[in-house]
Amino acid sequence: LAEARARLALREDVTVEDARDAIDLVKETVYFDTLADVLGAPAAAPTFGGGGGGRGGAMSVAKTIKSFVSCLEKDAHQRADAIFTPSALRQVFDASGLRLPSTQSWEDLIDRMNSENYIIKRHGVWKLQNSRYAQSSKWPTPPGGSQSSSARR
């Protein structure tokens, strides 16, 4: 994994950071948690922005997105709806205890989630794509008109 990480960065030599990233990846997998359960070792608990952790304890952007999407899925399940207003997205994030990585603004985080197809925006609201409620959640009608035939498909 460390070698693959180095190749991804177009380097021939593997760095200590590549090895740490590979270790972090393994620790985040279901396999690690299962192995920890079998061996009786405690699995690494996620840190939400402080203490412990290989890079000063702050979560990476990818980890933050993964955790945030999990929180959004729980909220969508409770409401049986995968549609979120911008303020509802922020409320779920704030209630989760997550913190933005120092390199990201709120807008950057939402833009990345959109570009990675976790959420999509239409008519001023966001839809959580991989939620079990994504198919049944209906987009709101745009102001001043009805949905086009392509939007209803």
Side-chain angles (χ1 to χ4, degrees), residues 8-97:
L8 180 67
L10 304 175
R11 288 184 276 105
E12 291 184 23
D13 297 326
V14 177
T15 65
V16 171
E17 190 63 29
D18 294 328
R20 287 185 181 143
D21 285 345
I23 290 168
D24 287 345
L25 180 64
V26 171
K27 285 181 179 179
E28 291 174 17
T29 64
V30 173
Y31 174 77
F32 178 80
D33 290 339
T34 303
L35 184 62
D37 289 343
V38 169
L39 297 176
T47 56
F48 295 119
R55 293 185 207 127
M59 291 179 77
S60 70
V61 176
K63 287 181 188 179
T64 301
I65 289 173
K66 183 178 177 182
S67 296
F68 183 33
V69 167
S70 177
C71 293
L72 289 172
E73 287 171 348
K74 289 176 187 172
D75 188 79
H77 178 72
Q78 289 173 345
R79 297 180 301 108
D81 189 4
I83 302 291
F84 292 86
T85 64
S87 62
L89 283 176
R90 189 62 198 225
Q91 287 173 350
V92 171
F93 185 84
D94 291 343
S96 71

Side-chain angles (χ1 to χ4, degrees), residues 20 24-25 43 71 79 105 112-113 115 131 136:
R20 287 185 181 143
D24 287 345
L25 180 64
C71 293
R79 297 180 301 108
S105 69
R112 181 158 171 187
M113 291 175 68
S115 69
S131 167
S136 62

